[in-house]
Amino acid sequence: MKNRIKGRVIAFFHSSFFPYILLIFFPLIVFRPVITGTHIFALGDFSGSDLLELHLPFKYILHDAYTHGQFPLWSPYLSNGFPVLAEGQSGPLYPPHILFSFLPPVLSLNYSILLS
């Protein structure tokens, strides 16, 4: 019985699909705090982080617009108004961003980074 289980475990590790399973689950283990939303990708420098100062506010704007059934054309919350649809960094028409906009903005930002 013990040898049979050991043989199955060894066969599993030598199977052709084991590397694919490893490629899927290893990043999930490494990025667990980011996937659960307890941490955010943030790489600061002298002036801060583009993720925190640019991309995260855009995620809040997209989240607010899509969850209220609106199209994110314009945001009055940045400067004296900002054309969200005309700005390339926010990606309001990118399908994953649309789907992730229904999640909390921090998770949306984390998942869009992990997906890319």
Side-chain angles (χ1 to χ4, degrees):
M1 179 73 174
K2 189 175 183 181
N3 288 334
R4 200 164 74 189
I5 293 173
K6 184 179 177 183
R8 285 185 182 180
V9 169
I10 291 172
F12 173 75
F13 285 115
H14 287 115
S15 66
S16 62
F17 63 91
F18 177 71
Y20 300 110
I21 292 173
L22 189 65
L23 284 174
I24 291 171
F25 286 109
F26 186 70
L28 294 177
I29 293 168
V30 171
F31 294 116
R32 183 183 53 80
V34 175
I35 291 171
T36 58
T38 59
H39 289 77
I40 187 170
F41 282 110
L43 302 172
D45 53 15
F46 294 114
S47 65
S49 171
D50 283 347
L51 290 173
L52 296 177
E53 296 171 1
L54 178 70
H55 297 288
L56 189 59
F58 282 141
K59 294 299 179 185
Y60 275 96
I61 291 168
L62 293 178
H63 174 75
D64 187 45
Y66 283 127
T67 55
H68 289 96
Q70 299 171 350
F71 196 69
L73 293 173
W74 183 266
S75 173
Y77 305 117
L78 294 172
S79 300
N80 288 329
F82 191 81
V84 178
L85 187 63
E87 203 282 321
Q89 294 291 321
S90 63
L93 298 178
Y94 184 52
H97 287 188
I98 294 171
L99 292 175
F100 293 152
S101 292
F102 294 99
L103 297 172
V106 171
L107 281 177
S108 174
L109 178 65
N110 288 342
Y111 289 175
S112 64
I113 292 170
L114 286 173
L115 180 67
S116 64

